[in-house]
Amino acid sequence: ARADREALVGFYQNIIPGDYSRLAAAIKQASRHIIGSSNSKKSRKGDSFSDDHIYRSPEQTDKKVVDEMVRGYSREKRNALLLVVTARIHEAIQRAPDEVGNADASGTRTLGAITNLDAAYNEREVLARLANRGSWNPRYGWHCLRNLGGEERMNGADRDALEATYFGENWTHVDETSKGIRHLRPKLSKFLASQLRVHLPELVSEVIGRIGVIKGQLEMLRKRTTSEREQRDYLSRIALDFQHLCCNTVNGQYGEGTGPPHLQAFFNNQNDSRNKQHDKRLQAVVRAMGQLFNSTMITNGKSTELTEVDVETRSPSARFGRRLRRST
């Protein structure tokens, strides 16, 4: 490990601009110095270095953590989803469409992309997807791409030019606007703009509401409570406010002018749901529950007549001939 560190300090490569093969070799060599050589005890099999991060190979990845991270993002209703699937594998064994379909059942915030069309497993499956004949389909449709292979990438091939040439000779029956990165870029811009138009007003309102909450919290903490006396005064104010709220709740005083001005919004907070506002009004809640109990007893209760019986004669006692009535 020390030798690798020293080698990394002195690492230098003179690379001519455009020489991508030499650049790739330099990155691999630097990765070996950073992660450690194969003979190093601290080296980790399967790790690789890219873009200032160390990535682990799939067999070392905690699949559960990755799945939860992806699901957490896809479940957020404001997030736009770009679903990328490969045509190289049968669609029945691909998990991504099912995961995205569960998160976005209507497909209203999803755009699909199909890659590896030059090595498609089944052309009919691709055409069925493009025609939205699947059990689940993204609202913004599917788009076809042809990415570089490993050797093409190593040789520094022009991705867009190769893709344009490929689609000019293949998949000619597919609509031109659904093929190639050149048409995907404006489609993505339109897709994201539509999502912004839908969610931005709600997001602005939420931010404004959150700012109001934070300002209220700052207002409550505007006075420093460093000394013991200041802390006692602060606790006394909180206790007094709590007492006012409890008294108003029990007495049914929920309107304006029934307490200190800074407590007026407690019972009539516009940000509270209807149920939450109702739950704060204790007197009204107790009255409603009492009325509910009374109506339930009248509707579902039973009346029973009890007559005292003489133990010796087993007949109603003359002395205790009164009737008792009990409701249960």
Side-chain angles (χ1 to χ4, degrees):
R2 183 176 181 180
D4 291 327
R5 193 179 301 110
E6 293 176 353
L8 182 62
V9 172
F11 181 77
Y12 175 81
Q13 291 286 335
N14 186 15
I15 302 174
I16 301 174
D19 190 351
Y20 296 103
S21 59
R22 189 172 181 81
L23 175 62
I27 292 175
K28 287 185 177 180
Q29 186 175 355
S31 300
R32 286 195 294 269
H33 292 317
I34 293 173
I35 299 173
S37 63
S38 58
N39 296 327
S40 174
K41 294 182 180 180
K42 295 184 179 180
S43 65
R44 294 164 293 186
K45 183 180 179 181
D47 291 353
S48 60
F49 180 77
S50 176
D51 296 336
D52 297 331
H53 297 282
I54 294 179
Y55 298 98
R56 294 196 170 190
S57 57
E59 60 269 20
Q60 293 183 348
T61 301
D62 190 337
K63 180 176 176 297
K64 184 177 179 181
V65 173
V66 174
D67 287 346
E68 286 301 320
M69 179 180 65
V70 174
R71 290 187 187 119
Y73 178 87
S74 59
R75 281 194 295 261
E76 172 54 52
K77 301 301 182 182
R78 296 193 184 112
N79 287 339
L81 305 178
L82 176 62
L83 172 61
V84 181
V85 298
T86 176
R88 190 192 301 270
I89 303 174
H90 194 288
E91 64 176 15
I93 61 176
Q94 297 188 41
R95 295 177 54 240
D98 293 335
E99 293 285 349
V100 175
N102 292 333
D104 182 23
S106 61
T108 54
R109 53 191 180 94
T110 304
L111 170 65
I114 306 175
T115 64
N116 300 119
L117 290 173
D118 52 333
Y121 173 81
N122 189 322
E123 183 176 341
R124 289 185 177 181
E125 286 187 359
V126 177
L127 295 177
R129 264 183 173 158
L130 292 174
N132 288 328
R133 293 201 298 265
S135 58
W136 174 88
N137 301 290
R139 173 72 62 86
Y140 291 87
W142 294 92
H143 197 90
C144 299
L145 296 173
R146 195 274 189 191
N147 294 324
L148 294 178
E151 185 176 349
E152 293 171 337
R153 191 176 291 106
M154 290 288 293
N155 294 332
D158 187 335
R159 181 210 173 280
D160 294 358
L162 283 178
E163 183 182 60
T165 302
Y166 174 77
F167 282 127
E169 301 172 354
N170 302 276
W171 302 90
T172 54
H173 48 293
V174 177
D175 185 68
E176 193 67 25
T177 59
S178 297
K179 297 185 297 184
I181 193 68
R182 183 170 64 91
H183 295 288
L184 179 61
R185 291 188 181 105
K187 187 180 292 187
L188 275 175
S189 299
K190 184 178 179 180
F191 171 48
L192 294 175
S194 65
Q195 293 297 305
L196 285 174
R197 284 194 296 269
V198 171
H199 298 292
L200 189 58
E202 179 186 358
L203 181 61
V204 171
S205 300
E206 186 175 322
V207 171
I208 293 175
R210 186 60 183 166
I211 290 175
V213 172
I214 294 175
K215 284 184 177 180
Q217 293 174 347
L218 291 175
E219 182 66 20
M220 293 179 63
L221 300 174
R222 65 186 182 277
K223 294 184 178 180
R224 298 180 61 184
T225 56
T226 54
S227 66
E228 182 179 351
R229 177 59 181 270
E230 291 174 342
Q231 292 174 356
R232 289 179 180 273
D233 291 342
Y234 179 72
L235 292 176
S236 297
R237 289 196 302 271
I238 293 178
L240 186 60
D241 290 345
F242 181 74
Q243 180 183 0
H244 278 298
L245 290 175
C246 289
C247 291
N248 291 349
T249 301
V250 173
N251 297 329
Q253 298 174 343
Y254 314 123
E256 296 182 359
T258 57
H262 65 282
L263 299 179
Q264 294 296 323
F266 179 78
F267 296 107
N268 302 289
N269 192 339
Q270 299 300 323
N271 295 325
D272 289 343
S273 64
R274 185 175 180 180
N275 290 336
K276 188 173 182 179
Q277 289 184 359
H278 178 71
D279 291 342
K280 290 180 179 180
R281 307 187 178 200
L282 181 60
Q283 189 184 76
V285 172
V286 173
R287 185 186 299 113
M289 293 181 67
Q291 293 174 351
L292 178 62
F293 177 78
N294 184 51
S295 62
T296 302
M297 291 301 298
I298 292 175
T299 305
N300 302 320
K302 295 182 180 180
S303 297
T304 304
E305 292 186 359
L306 300 179
T307 303
E308 294 187 12
V309 178
D310 192 316
V311 178
E312 296 179 356
T313 62
R314 294 294 180 180
S315 61
S317 172
R319 188 175 58 176
F320 302 103
R322 56 193 176 90
R323 290 184 174 182
L324 303 178
R325 187 175 182 84
R326 182 182 66 182
S327 295
T328 59

